[in-house]
Structures are given as C-alpha cells and as structure tokens.
Amino acid sequence: MSDLSADRVSVAFAGLSALSEVDLKVTSGQIVGLIGPNGAGKTTLVNVLTGFQPATEGTVRLDGQPLSGLKPHEVRRRGIARTFQGGRLFRDLPVIDNLEVTGVGLGLSRAAAIAEAEAMLDWVGIAPLADRIAGTLPYTDERRVAIGRALMRKPAFVLLDEPAAGMSAQEAQDLSALIRRIASEMGCGVLLIEHNVGLVLDLCHHVVVLDSGVVIETGGPAAIRASERVRHAYMGTAADTNLPVLEVME
Amino acid sequence: MSHPVSHGSVARRSIATPVLLGLLLVAFALVALAAGSKPFNQTIIDIFLKVIFVVGLWVFVGNSGVISFGHIAFAGLGGYVAAWTTIKPMMKGLSMPGLPDWLMQTEIPYWASAGLAAGWAALWALIFGSVLMRLSGIAASIATFAMLAMVNSIYSNWDSVTAATSSVVGIPIIRSIWPYLIAALIAVFAAWAYGISRHGLALRAARDEPTAAAASGVDIPRARLIAFVISGAIMGMGGALYAHSIGIVTPDTFYLGLTFITLSMLVVGGMGSLSGAVLGVLILSTLIQTLRWLEAGVEIGTTTFALPGGVQEIGLGVVMILILMFRPAGIMGNRDLSLPARAASETKGLQSPKT
C-alpha cells in the first residue's frame, strides 16, 4: 500500500492565493475525486502534486517522504503520473510512440517500451489505433491515449485532469469503466479532477471539494450530495435542491 | 498481441532511409568519377562536407526543435585539431609556436585527425551543452550564437596556438572523394541510429510537447545534451575533413558564412527528417552549381549564352523564398525517404516503428 498526500499546501501567485492550506490524501486502489467551480485551484493542486508548481507552503509526501524540490520527470520516476486538460499528446508522433515515450523516459529500451506500449493500448481498448498519428485522433480517443501514456510502467498514482470534458453521456460511462479498472485491476491510486460531478460522485470513494483555493467539504459521495456548502459553491444559492451537473449523470 | 515487433524491427523498418540516402551520395560520387574533372571533383567533395555538417546539425536541431546558430563552432574546433595534428612539426613551429611540445611533434594521418576532432568537439559540446541545454526556444538559440562568437573570438586572438586570424597553412590536402563519401555515410548512419534510439524518441517528444514529455519521465536537458554531443562530434569530424579539403584554416572559415548556408540547407530540405537534411544539401548545392555554370556561360554552336553575374545569389534567394512560401516545413516536411511498398503505411520514417 502506498499513499500520496498534500499537507497544508498553499500556493500564492504574486500575493494572490490560489491554494490555501489544502489537505488531501490518496491511497493505492482508491479513487478520490477533486471537484469545484472554475478557478477553484484544482489544476494548481495537480501541478503541485506532480512537481510542475512549487508549493509556497506545505508539503507533498509520497509514503511519508517529502517530494519537495523534485522536477516533474523525477516525480514521474517515483510513480506519480498525470494527464493534462486537452490531452497534450505528442501530436506529430504515432499513438504507439506516444506511449513508448513514457517507457523510454522511465529507462526502458525501445524494444521493451514497444512491447509494453502494445499491451497498454490493448488494455485501454485502442490497440487498432497504434499507427495513427496522434494529432489526427478524435477527442475521445485522444483521452484514452493520454491515459495509456500515463499508465505505462504502472505508476502507483495517476492524476486525471478532466478526462471526461466534452464527452457524451455514453462516452463518459465508458471512461468511468476504464477508471474503475485502473484502481481495481492495476491497484493505482486515482485522483480524478472533473467538472462532471455526477461522474465523480458515481465513481469515487472519497471526494474533496475546492472553492477559491480552500477545501470546503470532504467526505463520501453521499455526504457531498447532501452538503449545503457544495450546493452553494456551485449555485451561488442554497435554495435549489438539485445540482445542475447531477443531471448529466441521469 | 496485435503488433508483434521488436527493437530489431524498428531498425529494419527504417533502415531503407539511410540506405537510400547513402545510395544517393554514392551516385553523386560516381558522377564525379565519370566526369573526371578536377574542379567538379572538388564540388562533389564540398557537397559531401555539407552533408556531414547539415546532418550533424539535424541530429540536434531536427530532433530538439531548438535552432542552433552555434554548431559551426564545433566544426571550427575540429578544423584546428586537423591543423594541430597533421601539419609537419617544422611548419607548426613557425605559425603556432605556442603549441605544447608533444602536440608540436604529433603528426598523424588525416583519418585519425578526423576521429580525434570528433572526440574533441564532442568534449566541448558536453561542456557548453551542460550549461546551454537548460535553456529553451529563442533563448537557447541566442546562447548557441554566443558560443559561436566566443569560439571565434578566442581562436582569432590566441595567436600562439591558432595563429590568430592568419591562415594556418600546410594541412595535407586530400583530393580523393572517397574519404569524404565514407565520412558522409558515417554521419548519415549515425544520425539515423540516434533518431531511432530511445534518446532520439524522447527528444522528439520533448520537441512536440515539453510539458507532457517531462510528465512522462523525460529529463529534457539531458535528452538535449545527448543530441548536442553527438551532433558536436559529427560537426568536429566534418570540420577536420573540411580543413583537409582546402589545406588551410582561419577562424572565419568556420563562422557566419558556413553557419547560414548550412542552416538554409536544413530549413529548405526540411528539418523534420533526416532525408530533409540530406536532400536540402543535394538540391541547393546542385542549384548553386548550375547557376554558377550558367553565369560562366554555355556555348551553343558559336554563341555563348551567359547569365549576368549575381544571378546565382538572386536565384538562390528566390528559390528559397518560394520553397518556404509553398512548403514551410521544407521540401520533405516530416517525411523520410522509404521504399514505395512501405510509403503508404509508413509516412513518418524514423518516427514510426510500425509495419
């Protein structure tokens, strides 16, 4: 068992607070959701967890060891992988090469990287796309390539930044199934950042709600559903009884 | 598994590219042999040297996406290694009296000096690169230009070991085209081997999307440094052979003129592929040579037709503008030469290891 935690993490850009004393913990095999309105600081937190953004205060720990000062590639080599909003695939390279890059980046020979990339493409369900140039793929396939790329060499943790953005209900369902398998079959700890709150409440064991850089609620899906504060953050009013985003799930 | 492949097959699938490029170079050599004229021989030697320089440049620029204005400095370092190690000791004493005694007494064959030059240039690429490779984009390009200016300035003023701006003469001239052909083939195959290696793949990923490459575990400065050192070595080898082709070196032999012609050839050919690097040299060199020939005048019957002087430079400029207007990624773009049977499924040459 492994755990990844943020302890009282704060980030300030030129005096403006983006994150304020945020606590979060993910353990192996667990799916933790991170939700919140636009500008809540979700991606900033992912950037801190993966070495792209230094924390102004607080510490990120992997199994109790601080990760402070590590560069992104060093964080990845410790087994913390991520995806990006909008995919950020290597657009000029074929799909298989996109996955191979992680293999060689983590020290595999090209032969070994190819073998693992093929198995991984199969696992995420896009084996027939191996030779396609990544830049020519439709949206939903791009996401699967990005996830496959992150899962190469079986990281201990994977942070998915809005993997379902722009997907239809059916596509989001398929993606849910894949995310469940990442946790159950691979034993990965998953941090899921999503605007589709329905998807998050459906999938996650535990949910953290951010608003304006502050954790306003944590708990299981039922507690989040019932929370007045979450409703308020999303709606700006406590009067409504339904979260609008919940309708996406139905 | 749906795609049973192995590393051997990455090489096998893309080997057609260096082989075809190599055959093209051999064809140029055979044309020179058939023509049997001395000036034409020298032209072909010059083309092979440019192939070495542009391919050396491609290893770094093509794979990293960082334009380097500094690579000719490595050719210069190599050129002076040739001067230091192949000129007769007595002549060295006159022009470069400050050389240490052991170096003064050294007199090795041209091919050994080319090998030594590759190592010397690689060492300096490692030293400069350790600092420069942390930079990206235009900042990195400007820094490489500073490196070129720095090397030029040191070699232009360190008169006891470089004879400052005076020409260093007495480098044995090699007139046979074969050593240059062999060196060009070595450059092409080395560049290909680098391109299909794990380091080459990692660097191309960092070129396309640096953030995602770092998140995939790629140490970008290190990946760039590896390419920088290999390309420095190729440039060093080319610089030594360049010295042996003309018999003299000055610091300005390896400065702006050579920098811009080699970069132009790479841009026109297409910096996205090894084939672009080689074809850029062959096409632009052929064009320059044809225009020179027309300027000199062609006799048809009793009349001599000659283009006015200066047409060569103007013509070259116009062709380059046209190519960049209509094919901004260069003649080859990202494509590599491959056998027709594979061309359909494998348009990306080095970048695609798949059948």
Side-chain angles (χ1 to χ4, degrees), chain A residues 14-25:
Chain A
L16 212 73
S17 174
L19 289 177
S20 177
E21 303 197 337
V22 171
D23 287 316
L24 181 140
K25 186 170 172 181

PDB file of all heavy atoms in Angstrom, chain A residues 14-25:
ATOM      1  N   ALA A  14       2.139  35.915  -6.896  1.00  0.00           N
ATOM      2  CA  ALA A  14       2.282  37.360  -6.684  1.00  0.00           C
ATOM      3  C   ALA A  14       1.307  37.864  -5.619  1.00  0.00           C
ATOM      4  O   ALA A  14       0.593  38.845  -5.808  1.00  0.00           O
ATOM      5  CB  ALA A  14       2.058  38.109  -8.006  1.00  0.00           C
ATOM      6  N   GLY A  15       1.261  37.153  -4.497  1.00  0.00           N
ATOM      7  CA  GLY A  15       0.445  37.598  -3.393  1.00  0.00           C
ATOM      8  C   GLY A  15      -0.998  37.133  -3.462  1.00  0.00           C
ATOM      9  O   GLY A  15      -1.728  37.172  -2.475  1.00  0.00           O
ATOM     10  N   LEU A  16      -1.404  36.664  -4.663  1.00  0.00           N
ATOM     11  CA  LEU A  16      -2.775  36.194  -4.819  1.00  0.00           C
ATOM     12  C   LEU A  16      -2.829  34.719  -4.445  1.00  0.00           C
ATOM     13  O   LEU A  16      -2.092  33.909  -4.980  1.00  0.00           O
ATOM     14  CB  LEU A  16      -3.188  36.370  -6.283  1.00  0.00           C
ATOM     15  CG  LEU A  16      -4.651  36.677  -6.527  1.00  0.00           C
ATOM     16  CD1 LEU A  16      -4.959  38.114  -6.112  1.00  0.00           C
ATOM     17  CD2 LEU A  16      -4.988  36.446  -7.989  1.00  0.00           C
ATOM     18  N   SER A  17      -3.707  34.360  -3.529  1.00  0.00           N
ATOM     19  CA  SER A  17      -3.731  32.990  -3.045  1.00  0.00           C
ATOM     20  C   SER A  17      -4.522  32.088  -3.988  1.00  0.00           C
ATOM     21  O   SER A  17      -5.690  32.303  -4.247  1.00  0.00           O
ATOM     22  CB  SER A  17      -4.357  32.961  -1.647  1.00  0.00           C
ATOM     23  OG  SER A  17      -4.510  31.625  -1.249  1.00  0.00           O
ATOM     24  N   ALA A  18      -3.828  31.050  -4.536  1.00  0.00           N
ATOM     25  CA  ALA A  18      -4.505  30.099  -5.418  1.00  0.00           C
ATOM     26  C   ALA A  18      -4.949  28.874  -4.636  1.00  0.00           C
ATOM     27  O   ALA A  18      -5.980  28.274  -4.922  1.00  0.00           O
ATOM     28  CB  ALA A  18      -3.579  29.696  -6.557  1.00  0.00           C
ATOM     29  N   LEU A  19      -4.141  28.477  -3.659  1.00  0.00           N
ATOM     30  CA  LEU A  19      -4.495  27.359  -2.784  1.00  0.00           C
ATOM     31  C   LEU A  19      -4.157  27.774  -1.364  1.00  0.00           C
ATOM     32  O   LEU A  19      -3.130  28.414  -1.132  1.00  0.00           O
ATOM     33  CB  LEU A  19      -3.683  26.105  -3.120  1.00  0.00           C
ATOM     34  CG  LEU A  19      -3.986  25.365  -4.416  1.00  0.00           C
ATOM     35  CD1 LEU A  19      -3.013  24.202  -4.571  1.00  0.00           C
ATOM     36  CD2 LEU A  19      -5.416  24.848  -4.441  1.00  0.00           C
ATOM     37  N   SER A  20      -5.009  27.405  -0.428  1.00  0.00           N
ATOM     38  CA  SER A  20      -4.757  27.803   0.943  1.00  0.00           C
ATOM     39  C   SER A  20      -4.931  26.614   1.882  1.00  0.00           C
ATOM     40  O   SER A  20      -6.036  26.109   2.063  1.00  0.00           O
ATOM     41  CB  SER A  20      -5.717  28.944   1.300  1.00  0.00           C
ATOM     42  OG  SER A  20      -5.554  29.318   2.626  1.00  0.00           O
ATOM     43  N   GLU A  21      -3.804  26.145   2.406  1.00  0.00           N
ATOM     44  CA  GLU A  21      -3.780  25.069   3.410  1.00  0.00           C
ATOM     45  C   GLU A  21      -4.658  23.887   3.021  1.00  0.00           C
ATOM     46  O   GLU A  21      -5.528  23.454   3.775  1.00  0.00           O
ATOM     47  CB  GLU A  21      -4.175  25.631   4.774  1.00  0.00           C
ATOM     48  CG  GLU A  21      -3.264  26.765   5.191  1.00  0.00           C
ATOM     49  CD  GLU A  21      -3.345  27.069   6.671  1.00  0.00           C
ATOM     50  OE1 GLU A  21      -4.375  26.719   7.277  1.00  0.00           O
ATOM     51  OE2 GLU A  21      -2.380  27.624   7.211  1.00  0.00           O
ATOM     52  N   VAL A  22      -4.382  23.359   1.827  1.00  0.00           N
ATOM     53  CA  VAL A  22      -5.181  22.237   1.319  1.00  0.00           C
ATOM     54  C   VAL A  22      -4.603  20.910   1.800  1.00  0.00           C
ATOM     55  O   VAL A  22      -3.401  20.669   1.694  1.00  0.00           O
ATOM     56  CB  VAL A  22      -5.231  22.267  -0.222  1.00  0.00           C
ATOM     57  CG1 VAL A  22      -5.877  20.996  -0.773  1.00  0.00           C
ATOM     58  CG2 VAL A  22      -5.983  23.497  -0.705  1.00  0.00           C
ATOM     59  N   ASP A  23      -5.444  20.064   2.348  1.00  0.00           N
ATOM     60  CA  ASP A  23      -5.068  18.701   2.725  1.00  0.00           C
ATOM     61  C   ASP A  23      -5.774  17.736   1.793  1.00  0.00           C
ATOM     62  O   ASP A  23      -6.953  17.920   1.475  1.00  0.00           O
ATOM     63  CB  ASP A  23      -5.520  18.386   4.163  1.00  0.00           C
ATOM     64  CG  ASP A  23      -4.670  19.110   5.183  1.00  0.00           C
ATOM     65  OD1 ASP A  23      -3.439  19.124   5.013  1.00  0.00           O
ATOM     66  OD2 ASP A  23      -5.247  19.677   6.130  1.00  0.00           O
ATOM     67  N   LEU A  24      -5.029  16.695   1.388  1.00  0.00           N
ATOM     68  CA  LEU A  24      -5.637  15.702   0.509  1.00  0.00           C
ATOM     69  C   LEU A  24      -4.812  14.437   0.614  1.00  0.00           C
ATOM     70  O   LEU A  24      -3.600  14.498   0.809  1.00  0.00           O
ATOM     71  CB  LEU A  24      -5.620  16.242  -0.923  1.00  0.00           C
ATOM     72  CG  LEU A  24      -6.216  15.387  -2.035  1.00  0.00           C
ATOM     73  CD1 LEU A  24      -6.975  16.273  -3.004  1.00  0.00           C
ATOM     74  CD2 LEU A  24      -5.126  14.646  -2.791  1.00  0.00           C
ATOM     75  N   LYS A  25      -5.485  13.294   0.517  1.00  0.00           N
ATOM     76  CA  LYS A  25      -4.748  12.037   0.599  1.00  0.00           C
ATOM     77  C   LYS A  25      -5.373  11.002  -0.324  1.00  0.00           C
ATOM     78  O   LYS A  25      -6.593  10.863  -0.374  1.00  0.00           O
ATOM     79  CB  LYS A  25      -4.751  11.529   2.042  1.00  0.00           C
ATOM     80  CG  LYS A  25      -3.884  10.311   2.247  1.00  0.00           C
ATOM     81  CD  LYS A  25      -3.749  10.009   3.720  1.00  0.00           C
ATOM     82  CE  LYS A  25      -3.038   8.680   3.913  1.00  0.00           C
ATOM     83  NZ  LYS A  25      -2.908   8.340   5.327  1.00  0.00           N
TER      84      LYS A  25
END
